[in-house]
Amino acid sequence: MATGIHYRVEVLNLHAHLFGITLTIARPAPRQVLRLPVWIPGSYLVREFAKNLQNLQCQQGTKAVPAQQSDKATWMVECVAEQLLEVRYEVYAFDNSVRTAWLDATRGFFNGTSLCLQVDGQQDQAHALELVSNDAIAKWSVATGLEPVKVNKHGFGSYRADNYDTLVDCPVEMGPFWSGSFVACGIPHRFVVSGAPPSFDGAKLLADTQAICEAEIRFWHGDSIKNHSKTRKKDEGQSPTPFKSYVFMLNAVADGYGGLEHKNSTALICKRADLPRLPRNTLAPTTHKQPEGYFTLLGLISHEYFHTWNVKRLRPAELATYDYTQENYTELLWFFEGFTSYYDDLLLRRAALIDNAAYLKLLTKTLNGVAQTPGRKVQNVAQASFDAWIKYYRQDENSPNATISYYTKGSLVALCLDLTLRAEGKTSLDAVMRRLWSRCQGGPMSEQDLLAVLQQLGERSFAPDLAHWVHSTRDLPSVALLEQHGIQVHLEPDQVAQQLGLRVKENGGLFIQHVLRGGVAEKAGFASGDEWIAVQPSGAEAHGAWRLQTLDDFTLFAGNARKVTAIVSRDKRLLTLNLTLPKASQAVRLAVRDAARVDAWLGPQSA
């Protein structure tokens, strides 16, 4: 291929989970440095991908040349300059996530950050990727967002990328997957699903995903998509969207959830049971209901697709150029992840895939989740963004007490901003997002860009609002703003776990995962890792203690007692803890009070 950097990827051993990679560099430096990234953009944790790289060997012609490893992910090759250099190595691929690489007898998947060594000094050159088929995978197909050069009907063959960033931003899915396609606003989309069961309703998934894509394209581009929808243009420069095609890659597994965004594709993982299902023969279509988890999957699809604009292009200025060798810090994840989290469910509503009641149920969960996290009083969302590398992606037993999620609280910042703008009657957050896109030309932005657009469209300074909502640990005015927009806020008794100040796991017993700061469980002496075995209400000693399996058992056996004795197992010791029960705490529940006002916010919007 007419590129100076070429990667040949083949399946070396399915059962050993090994990819074989041959990297050819047409014009190497005399001391050529090769690096494997330590993280992947969109997932803010150093993951040490080089731990899976093995058997690296280099040669020029028939002569082996030495490669010296200088740090955990860097090799220096002593070679003859300007003479073709061939580097062979293997990568162990057995992480069934969206972030790394996987290979077994049923499926192959990889991100370039896990397989493709970066050639120092030549990152901005065109890169070629060759995907090789063999007898072991003869019935497999390929899906990727990379630009094909010469591929067979199954997708194996040669692809190109303008540079290294583009190469590693296009994951590759391989296997005997289900595949479907649709056109949204004139743009071709492909959806592939690995691991789908016989009950899978592919037509339903395609139709609902198409509705999401059309809603989001119209959100960002408004009327500019109308002419394109009538006459599809092949040239990306003429397209109103920043991509000319898009690929969804979904891995359906027994238990899993997540997604990772890319510029013209996304990798997703979900529970197999959450896929849409065909109606059974015994049911009339009108009585057929989809699994509740299916709407969670649609929210994930909406979230990752919205990232195509918000973080992959409109992105933190600090991430304008990726440094793959170390952490890349920003305080803006509350905007890029939080605002995306606000719009993922909102755009499901605007695409008519859920109704107002379903949307408010999702919003209720977010409101209560943030309110029930003691860490919101310790860490603001700008700090949470900066510390994602060491806190959000490294959760432990103390995380709810020391941290706040920039996803959930960030989404409530977006909610407060949107409802405030709408209440003041000047603009909306929709218009702010589109103006940011225009102002920053779909590229790097800062918080000052957001403030400038807010002042321009909102006709006042929003610096005090962001200082309060983003840069302090004060609570947000979410409830008051919702009430102004036709939402009825009900207060009702909280769940028993929250009343006790616990987060538990029920798996053949009752196990303590988190003890919340300031709760009665903390005062009684509960600790993460305890197994809560039994409870004895005060004054009922003659009846003995009651065995617990779930928290529902606690409400059954404690009754109305204000004080109980809890029996826990800790490090094989039985401990008795004196637990004084509080008055019932309260959670919020949202309902529609003024349908017209609610529809003005949640319903279809003009661009």
Side-chain angles (χ1 to χ4, degrees):
M1 299 180 68
T3 55
I5 301 171
H6 181 276
Y7 302 84
R8 186 177 190 269
V9 176
E10 58 187 319
V11 170
L12 206 59
N13 189 323
L14 287 173
H15 303 306
H17 318 293
L18 288 175
F19 283 110
I21 298 93
T22 302
L23 165 60
T24 304
I25 307 168
R27 303 178 66 181
R31 302 185 71 190
Q32 182 61 64
V33 174
L34 306 173
R35 294 189 177 93
L36 196 67
V38 303
W39 70 288
I40 182 169
S43 185
Y44 306 99
L45 178 67
V46 171
R47 297 187 182 275
E48 314 293 19
F49 300 131
K51 67 183 179 181
N52 294 315
L53 190 150
Q54 61 190 47
N55 289 337
L56 187 144
Q57 300 175 12
C58 305
Q59 67 181 55
Q60 288 186 299
T62 59
K63 181 181 178 181
V65 293
Q68 180 66 42
Q69 190 168 359
S70 57
D71 64 32
K72 62 185 180 182
T74 305
W75 290 260
M76 184 173 293
V77 184
E78 300 287 350
C79 59
V80 178
E82 304 294 313
Q83 180 179 327
L84 188 143
L85 172 65
E86 188 174 87
V87 183
R88 294 177 178 269
Y89 56 96
E90 301 163 359
V91 171
Y92 176 73
F94 204 59
D95 178 4
N96 202 13
S97 76
V98 297
R99 300 175 297 267
T100 52
W102 171 268
L103 182 64
D104 71 359
T106 63
R107 174 178 178 259
F109 172 83
F110 67 85
N111 288 284
T113 45
S114 290
L115 261 66
C116 299
L117 286 165
Q118 185 182 56
V119 181
D120 189 56
Q122 300 189 40
Q123 299 95 317
D124 295 332
Q125 290 189 20
H127 288 53
L129 178 70
E130 181 184 0
L131 301 174
V132 181
S133 182
N134 58 34
D135 291 342
I137 58 172
K139 296 183 179 180
W140 285 15
S141 297
V142 170
T144 180
L146 283 169
E147 178 185 344
V149 176
K150 185 178 181 181
V151 300
N152 66 18
K153 64 180 181 179
H154 297 293
F156 288 96
S158 300
Y159 296 83
R160 75 175 301 278
D162 288 339
N163 48 48
Y164 184 81
D165 284 344
T166 301
L167 175 76
V168 300
D169 195 36
C170 294
V172 174
E173 178 79 28
M174 300 187 295
F177 47 69
W178 175 92
S179 179
S181 62
F182 60 87
V183 174
C185 299
I187 309 298
H189 291 64
R190 185 184 185 190
F191 208 128
V192 303
V193 181
S194 174
S199 61
F200 169 55
D201 188 345
K204 173 69 172 172
L205 181 64
L206 289 179
D208 290 347
T209 303
Q210 179 181 13
I212 291 169
C213 295
E214 290 177 344
E216 297 195 5
I217 293 171
R218 292 190 180 102
F219 173 89
W220 286 102
H221 302 292
D223 291 338
S224 65
I225 57 94
K226 289 182 178 179
N227 292 333
H228 185 80
S229 298
K230 296 176 181 177
T231 306
R232 286 172 52 191
K233 299 181 178 67
K234 295 183 179 180
D235 180 65
E236 185 175 2
Q238 300 178 40
S239 172
T241 64
F243 52 90
K244 61 182 180 182
S245 63
Y246 195 90
V247 183
F248 292 93
M249 291 168 275
L250 174 60
N251 181 25
V253 297
D255 189 18
Y257 175 83
L260 190 60
E261 68 275 1
H262 301 279
K263 276 193 172 182
N264 67 345
S265 64
T266 183
L268 309 165
I269 187 167
C270 77
K271 290 183 180 180
R272 195 170 286 118
D274 291 344
L275 289 172
R277 302 178 192 179
L278 294 165
R280 296 183 62 185
N281 292 336
T282 55
L283 295 177
T286 55
T287 65
H288 178 61
K289 291 185 178 180
Q290 295 298 342
E292 186 172 343
Y294 176 55
F295 298 97
T296 302
L297 172 59
L298 291 181
L300 176 65
I301 291 169
S302 178
H303 184 98
E304 302 304 335
Y305 194 69
F306 197 84
H307 271 321
T308 310
W309 292 267
N310 194 41
V311 87
K312 290 310 299 182
R313 291 173 174 84
L314 193 64
R315 63 191 184 277
E318 299 89 343
L319 272 63
T321 301
Y322 297 126
D323 181 349
Y324 295 102
T325 68
Q326 62 182 353
E327 297 89 342
N328 290 214
Y329 294 102
T330 177
E331 289 191 347
L332 282 174
L333 295 183
W334 59 268
F335 178 87
F336 290 100
E337 292 292 356
F339 280 41
T340 299
S341 296
Y342 172 62
Y343 277 110
D344 55 19
D345 290 333
L346 181 56
L347 287 165
L348 290 186
R349 171 66 192 94
R350 292 183 183 169
L353 296 175
I354 59 175
D355 58 18
N356 288 346
Y359 175 77
L360 293 179
K361 183 178 179 180
L362 294 168
L363 182 55
T364 296
K365 182 178 179 181
T366 302
L367 286 167
N368 287 326
V370 171
Q372 294 165 359
T373 303
R376 78 187 192 283
K377 294 293 188 182
V378 177
Q379 184 187 56
N380 65 51
V381 283
Q383 294 168 334
S385 301
F386 193 86
D387 283 341
W389 300 88
I390 58 171
K391 293 189 176 181
Y392 183 82
Y393 281 92
R394 288 177 173 164
Q395 302 271 327
D396 60 25
E397 72 285 345
N398 192 49
S399 292
N401 298 320
T403 67
I404 189 65
S405 167
Y406 49 78
Y407 283 90
T408 54
K409 188 174 180 182
S411 73
L412 296 184
V413 171
L415 170 76
C416 291
L417 195 53
D418 195 11
L419 297 186
T420 298
L421 291 167
R422 290 172 183 274
E424 294 179 3
K426 305 295 184 183
T427 188
S428 69
L429 189 58
D430 299 8
V432 168
M433 297 298 287
R434 286 189 286 269
R435 184 63 62 85
L436 270 172
W437 177 264
S438 174
R439 172 187 173 92
C440 300
Q441 297 182 328
M445 63 160 275
S446 67
E447 187 172 322
Q448 291 306 309
D449 289 308
L450 174 59
L451 286 169
V453 170
L454 286 169
Q455 177 140 10
Q456 182 183 28
L457 298 184
E459 300 182 13
R460 71 168 176 88
S461 172
F462 281 79
D465 304 81
L466 293 194
H468 173 181
W469 301 341
V470 173
H471 297 283
S472 85
T473 57
R474 296 161 62 187
D475 284 334
L476 300 173
S478 311
V479 169
L481 287 166
L482 285 165
E483 289 177 324
Q484 291 179 24
H485 281 77
I487 301 297
Q488 181 70 50
V489 180
H490 300 278
L491 296 178
E492 53 189 27
D494 217 335
Q495 295 181 350
V496 63
Q498 189 61 32
Q499 293 182 36
L500 296 174
L502 289 173
R503 293 181 182 173
V504 303
K505 182 178 181 180
E506 299 173 345
N507 184 17
L510 187 58
F511 298 90
I512 309 303
Q513 290 188 300
H514 303 285
V515 181
L516 301 185
R517 186 73 69 243
V520 297
E522 182 187 58
K523 294 175 183 177
F526 280 83
S528 177
D530 288 351
E531 180 184 3
W532 191 354
I533 295 175
V535 64
Q536 180 173 283
S538 179
E541 289 78 7
H543 298 286
W546 296 89
R547 184 76 165 88
L548 301 181
Q549 292 287 330
T550 68
L551 271 182
D552 285 342
D553 290 340
F554 172 78
T555 59
L556 173 66
F557 297 132
N560 293 322
R562 289 298 311 280
K563 295 184 178 181
V564 301
T565 298
I567 301 170
V568 304
S569 172
R570 182 183 304 165
D571 191 29
K572 302 297 183 182
R573 296 181 180 182
L574 295 181
L575 305 176
T576 57
L577 308 177
N578 296 318
L579 185 63
T580 300
L581 303 183
K583 293 182 179 179
S585 58
Q586 293 182 315
V588 303
R589 179 174 58 83
L590 306 180
V592 174
R593 175 176 52 80
D594 184 334
R597 295 212 66 186
V598 172
D599 286 340
W601 163 41
L602 299 182
Q605 310 283 302
S606 58

